[in-house]
Amino acid sequence: MKQQNKIDLSKQTLGALLGLSAILLGFCFPLQEAIGAHNRPFGKYDASLTFETGTTGGNCSSCQWISAIGVFDDTSAEKFKIFLAKERPSKGTYIVFHSPGGDLLSALQIGVLIKKNNLNTAIGLTAHHGEVDLYGNRGYHVIEQGECFSACAYAFLGGRTRKKSQPSGGGGQIGFHQFYEEAKNSEFSQNIDSLFKKNGYSIDQLLSGILLNYIIKVDASPKLLIRTSQISSKEMWIPEADELEELKILSPSGYSDWKLDVTETTLFMITTERDPTSSIQNIAFSCNFADRKLMFTLVFDLGRSVNSEIIDIFLNNGMEIEVGSISLKLNKSEIQSSIFEKGHLAIGFYPTRNFIELLISNGLLKVTINPASFLGFHHTEIHIRESDQAKFDIIMNSCGMKV
């Protein structure tokens, strides 16, 4: 019987927590935004949270996103469920937040839905570009600088990949503080607190447990809860760049250290992008043992089926390579390409000895490909550091290109 009472009490506890929306309102900071003169925001910063689809007008994988603007309240999670059921966003779609915070439990529910649907998160204010004409046409959309504070910051953590800006624009600040209990002395709060204490429960400890469990499930650092607990609800902590990385608030990005790998036919020197949403996933130098030719290769994850037509469009404008002050434009006939796995395209070329000498002396290679608006713009920088030199020497020697 005691066990049954315990279960019933747990249900009462959860019900009471869900009813504490007014108690868990995040502290709202004044809006500081710089919106283009003719751009109109999708929603109001100080009104109930709204969800809409934004677009640049193109068909690339990052050309559409979900705009989330406003204050989290007890209706927000249900509105987001309805939006997801109607719009059915694809895996990896960004939800771009601009919010002062609001209801914490609602934010956690939205964060769970974001994770469950494999969505990415970013910060920014989505706006209609240009003036509205007589017929109500608004044209395409842009993402301005935004902010994601208090409860919004916890919803942001639900992203499969978490970035300050979406590939189409945006960026801004993310801020945390203690969860807020403004009605601590109200009769309702005292009655709930009395019920909890009578049965050995603490509202604060229970909420801390819920937050810790959530932070672990979204793969952020548990140290984040310790840090936020030190910030008054009347203040806002804006993490520095090193803190964003250390506490895993943002997803890691940039390429891994170069590694040597070998198969029966080929020796590779390869680096991998740590951000799974980046279009350029792998960069490699490879030496084929049969012809001893060195090839430079980029591996793209286009997020769609790849066929010969896609390759033609992708390579139509060629590839621009920049090493130091030297710029090299490769046309379609100079680029090799191959399809492997679903949505993956490998393109490369045979570098000259002069190219290799320039790369080693400069240590930095910039690659730009701008195939077409619906496939997106691709740019990356590749570093050859002093610590990579020995590996580079091995692959050069294998291809008879000692420099």
Side-chain angles (χ1 to χ4, degrees):
M1 182 62 70
K2 271 191 174 181
Q3 185 64 29
Q4 182 61 48
N5 288 339
K6 213 171 185 182
I7 294 173
D8 289 344
L9 179 60
S10 297
K11 290 178 180 178
Q12 291 174 12
T13 299
L14 290 174
L17 283 173
L18 290 172
L20 289 175
S21 299
I23 299 175
L24 297 171
L25 285 175
F27 193 83
C28 297
F29 278 67
L31 171 62
Q32 297 177 350
E33 58 189 40
I35 305 171
H38 299 295
N39 296 340
R40 297 193 313 106
F42 265 35
K44 294 183 177 180
Y45 184 77
D46 57 356
S48 181
L49 194 67
T50 57
F51 303 96
E52 295 185 57
T53 299
T55 179
T56 62
N59 294 313
C60 62
S61 59
S62 61
C63 290
Q64 289 83 36
W65 64 92
I66 302 167
S67 164
I69 298 176
V71 179
F72 289 77
D73 59 30
D74 58 2
T75 69
S76 299
E78 187 60 32
K79 285 194 293 188
F80 189 47
K81 286 181 184 178
I82 294 171
F83 178 89
L84 292 174
K86 179 181 177 182
E87 301 296 331
R88 306 179 76 84
S90 59
K91 176 182 177 181
T93 297
Y94 275 87
I95 175 167
V96 182
F97 286 106
H98 182 56
S99 169
D103 185 87
L104 177 60
L105 292 178
S106 180
L108 297 183
Q109 287 177 291
I110 288 175
V112 170
L113 289 169
I114 290 171
K115 181 175 176 61
K116 182 179 179 180
N117 286 273
N118 288 302
L119 303 178
N120 300 328
T121 52
I123 302 168
L125 167 63
T126 301
H128 302 288
H129 183 75
E131 297 180 349
V132 179
D133 64 20
L134 293 174
Y135 303 100
N137 297 320
R138 298 187 175 98
Y140 63 92
H141 309 131
V142 295
I143 308 177
E144 307 277 359
Q145 288 279 309
E147 48 198 36
C148 182
F149 292 150
S150 192
C152 177
Y154 288 101
F156 174 89
L157 293 177
R160 180 187 69 161
T161 294
R162 305 185 284 268
K163 290 185 174 183
K164 271 200 169 183
S165 60
Q166 197 260 9
S168 296
Q173 293 183 324
I174 184 169
F176 298 83
H177 58 189
Q178 294 180 4
F179 52 82
Y180 189 42
E181 296 183 65
E182 70 175 354
K184 193 74 176 178
N185 297 318
S186 69
E187 182 179 353
F188 173 74
S189 181
Q190 289 176 351
N191 289 339
I192 294 296
D193 196 37
S194 175
L195 172 65
F196 277 28
K197 287 179 179 178
K198 181 180 178 181
N199 292 277
Y201 287 92
S202 161
I203 295 178
D204 289 345
Q205 287 188 18
L206 191 56
L207 284 172
S208 295
I210 291 172
L211 277 175
L212 179 59
N213 182 60
Y214 174 80
I215 287 171
I216 292 172
K217 285 187 179 297
V218 298
D219 195 31
S221 171
K223 293 179 182 178
L224 177 60
L225 185 59
I226 298 174
R227 184 70 179 87
T228 57
S229 68
Q230 299 168 349
I231 309 300
S232 165
S233 59
K234 291 181 172 58
E235 299 175 343
M236 189 64 67
W237 166 55
I238 310 296
E240 300 290 341
D242 58 336
E243 294 173 313
L244 291 170
E245 181 176 346
E246 177 191 351
L247 299 174
K248 300 169 72 174
I249 296 168
L250 297 184
S251 299
S253 61
Y255 289 92
S256 65
D257 292 338
W258 289 89
K259 294 181 181 179
L260 289 174
D261 198 4
V262 64
T263 66
E264 292 183 359
T265 61
T266 309
L267 176 65
F268 296 92
M269 178 178 168
I270 190 168
T271 180
T272 301
E273 170 60 69
R274 293 183 294 170
D275 178 3
T277 66
S278 174
S279 58
I280 303 177
Q281 283 293 297
N282 301 101
I283 303 167
F285 289 92
S286 60
C287 179
N288 186 287
F289 297 140
D291 57 20
R292 299 190 74 191
K293 283 187 175 181
L294 180 72
M295 175 168 272
F296 172 74
T297 306
L298 302 173
V299 178
F300 293 82
D301 181 359
L302 299 180
R304 63 181 70 217
S305 297
V306 181
N307 52 40
S308 58
E309 182 181 358
I310 292 291
I311 293 177
D312 285 341
I313 296 173
F314 197 86
L315 301 181
N316 189 48
N317 292 326
M319 179 192 301
E320 186 174 337
I321 306 290
E322 183 181 328
V323 183
S325 60
I326 306 299
S327 182
L328 174 65
K329 181 70 180 289
L330 300 172
N331 60 46
K332 186 176 177 180
S333 63
E334 298 174 288
I335 302 173
Q336 307 292 316
S337 63
S338 62
I339 302 170
F340 69 101
E341 298 182 6
K342 184 179 180 181
H344 287 80
L345 168 66
I347 64 173
F349 70 100
Y350 296 109
T352 64
R353 180 181 291 273
N354 182 53
F355 174 88
I356 298 300
E357 290 175 345
L358 283 170
L359 177 59
I360 291 175
S361 63
N362 285 277
L364 176 64
L365 174 68
K366 297 181 181 179
V367 181
T368 300
I369 299 176
N370 190 16
S373 62
F374 82 92
L375 285 174
F377 174 84
H378 307 275
H379 174 80
T380 192
E381 296 185 357
I382 302 103
H383 293 267
I384 302 292
R385 303 176 182 86
E386 287 187 18
S387 58
D388 301 315
Q389 190 60 58
K391 301 168 190 173
F392 208 72
D393 287 344
I394 291 173
I395 201 163
M396 294 302 100
N397 287 332
S398 298
C399 276
M401 295 183 70
K402 177 67 177 176
V403 293

